[in-house]
Amino acid sequence: MDEATPLLEVNNLHTHFFTKSGVVKAVDGVDFTINPGETLGIVGESGSGKSITAMSILGLIPSPPGKITEGEVIFKGEDLLHKSERQMRKIRGKEIAMVFQDPMTSLNPVFTVEKQMMETILAHEPVSKKQAKQRAIELLDLVGIPDPRKRLKDYPHEFSGGMRQRVMIAMALSCNPSLLIADEPTTALDVTIQAQILELFKKMQTELNMAIVMITHDLGVVSEVCDRVMVMYAGKPVEYTETSHLFDRGKHPYTLGLMNSIPKISTEKQKLEAIHGSPPDLRYLPRGCSFAPRCKHAMESCLTIDPALKKIDTDHYVSCLLYDEAKKKVTT
């Protein structure tokens, strides 16, 4: 595949859940691209639509009540939304792999790690059981699990949280995917294990030229591993740019709120700034900007106009009326 051609292109993606109490607009107009060998971070509070975006890409939305109502998911030139379930099963695990948030619930507790890893390999690769087992041993060794031949016979509960996460990563990498989606892969891990997991992602990416979508609420993780970042709020992207641009000159009030809530290394006493209020109920989104009720910069127009994601600088997109107003003042 040509390096200049995006590996994945998501255009105007909408995923809604039709419930008795109303339509939950979990993903409501998401656009992004990711190139081979690149890492894209998707950041936001719980309920912002990060994981549902990933599940939509993989075709794992439970239906009913969920439904992708609009959009395109172009992977290697083909729209995944037009693929049958049988075709998607061939892509999942082989072309696109996912590391889920909680390895304990993602791994089957009644089967050994060996059985689960071999099942994935045999489903996608034309190899014998002996070859699949050897591949599983090599992968466990690759992700830093000691004595992999012996540990292959263990059950998930016999591994620590960090080791289970490594097993999940090994399974995800078993068929050399072009794209890895990692959903909160370092949540509930201590900082030492977190650093090891992130280093492992970097190593695997370099060796396989694999693209990664890193879903997280941790801006520290984003600064460590991501090339570009998309900040989501209430099912929509509110800022999309290179990681260095976000930290040097983030623009959206929500982005700034997230960054101001992170403790800074300083000898001076400091007070953390919280983002006041709570995320909106996705069944009853406000008429205008979804962040307006929590935004200290909100104008009257913010309560009635829902801003689109607009380019404000080279590779920097923001959905905020503040920058529309600034442009008007410059041009008049």
Side-chain angles (χ1 to χ4, degrees):
M1 186 174 183
D2 185 358
E3 290 283 338
T5 304
L7 176 69
L8 177 71
E9 193 173 350
V10 176
N11 299 317
N12 197 31
L13 182 66
H14 292 71
T15 303
H16 297 173
F17 290 83
F18 297 86
T19 70
K20 290 181 180 179
S21 57
V23 179
V24 179
K25 297 179 180 180
V27 175
D28 200 31
V30 167
D31 299 85
F32 67 84
T33 61
I34 183 167
N35 300 314
E38 183 181 38
T39 301
L40 171 72
I42 302 181
V43 182
E45 292 170 281
S46 296
S48 61
K50 309 185 300 296
S51 296
I52 297 299
T53 298
M55 302 292 264
S56 300
I57 292 168
L58 286 166
L60 293 176
I61 298 299
S63 179
K67 185 179 179 181
I68 298 173
T69 60
E70 192 177 343
E72 296 178 320
V73 178
I74 309 297
F75 178 71
K76 292 186 174 180
E78 297 183 357
D79 191 349
L80 298 185
L81 301 186
H82 293 158
K83 299 282 185 183
S84 66
E85 177 56 28
R86 185 176 180 181
Q87 291 172 318
M88 284 303 298
R89 278 199 297 267
K90 292 181 179 180
I91 292 171
R92 293 187 207 114
K94 173 65 175 174
E95 296 284 346
I96 306 175
M98 186 163 181
V99 178
F100 292 92
Q101 184 169 350
D102 185 357
M104 195 61 212
T105 56
S106 303
L107 294 167
N108 194 320
V110 301
F111 294 119
T112 62
V113 166
E114 177 181 24
K115 182 173 179 62
Q116 295 181 66
M117 291 190 70
M118 286 181 61
E119 184 178 35
T120 302
I121 297 167
L122 291 170
H124 296 289
E125 301 290 347
V127 295
S128 66
K129 288 186 177 180
K130 184 178 179 181
Q131 291 171 318
K133 181 176 180 178
Q134 185 57 39
R135 172 69 173 154
I137 292 169
E138 291 170 358
L139 284 163
L140 290 186
D141 184 51
L142 190 67
V143 298
I145 293 181
D147 200 358
R149 187 177 295 274
K150 180 182 177 183
R151 297 309 308 266
L152 203 59
K153 301 289 185 182
D154 290 343
Y155 290 84
H157 72 270
E158 296 178 273
F159 290 81
S160 67
M163 287 298 179
R164 282 195 295 268
Q165 194 65 285
R166 288 170 186 265
V167 170
M168 282 298 300
I169 293 169
M171 289 177 67
L173 298 175
S174 59
C175 298
N176 297 330
S178 302
L179 174 64
L180 177 69
I181 300 175
D183 188 0
E184 301 277 9
T186 58
T187 296
L189 300 180
D190 63 59
V191 290
T192 305
I193 301 300
Q194 175 177 297
Q196 292 173 358
I197 294 294
L198 294 179
E199 195 59 39
L200 179 61
F201 277 122
K202 288 181 184 177
K203 179 185 175 185
M204 296 298 99
Q205 186 173 36
T206 301
E207 292 183 4
L208 303 175
N209 192 35
M210 176 178 65
I212 298 176
V213 174
M214 181 73 70
I215 298 171
T216 182
H217 64 274
D218 190 338
L219 286 172
V221 170
V222 169
S223 66
E224 184 74 20
V225 299
C226 297
D227 301 302
R228 286 184 295 137
V229 59
M230 178 173 70
V231 181
M232 288 188 69
Y233 185 81
K236 297 179 181 180
V238 295
E239 190 155 4
Y240 179 46
T241 185
E242 292 181 13
T243 303
S244 58
H245 288 178
L246 190 84
F247 285 91
D248 291 342
R249 47 183 185 274
K251 298 294 186 184
H252 197 280
Y254 178 60
T255 304
L256 298 175
L258 290 177
M259 291 195 287
N260 288 336
S261 65
I262 300 172
K264 297 175 178 61
I265 299 174
S266 173
T267 55
E268 299 178 6
K269 289 184 179 181
Q270 53 181 303
K271 183 178 179 181
L272 293 181
E273 294 183 30
I275 302 175
H276 297 291
S278 302
D281 187 329
L282 297 179
R283 295 169 301 173
Y284 312 109
L285 290 170
R287 181 183 170 193
C289 173
S290 297
F291 188 63
R294 305 175 71 187
C295 181
K296 60 185 179 183
H297 302 292
M299 305 174 289
E300 190 174 337
S301 55
C302 297
L303 302 176
T304 55
I305 301 172
D306 186 11
L309 199 67
K310 293 183 179 179
K311 187 174 182 178
I312 62 165
D313 201 350
T314 306
D315 294 325
H316 197 156
Y317 300 82
V318 177
S319 64
C320 183
L321 294 179
L322 285 172
Y323 301 99
D324 289 350
E325 292 296 323
K327 281 186 177 180
K328 287 178 185 176
K329 289 177 182 177
V330 169
T331 54
T332 54

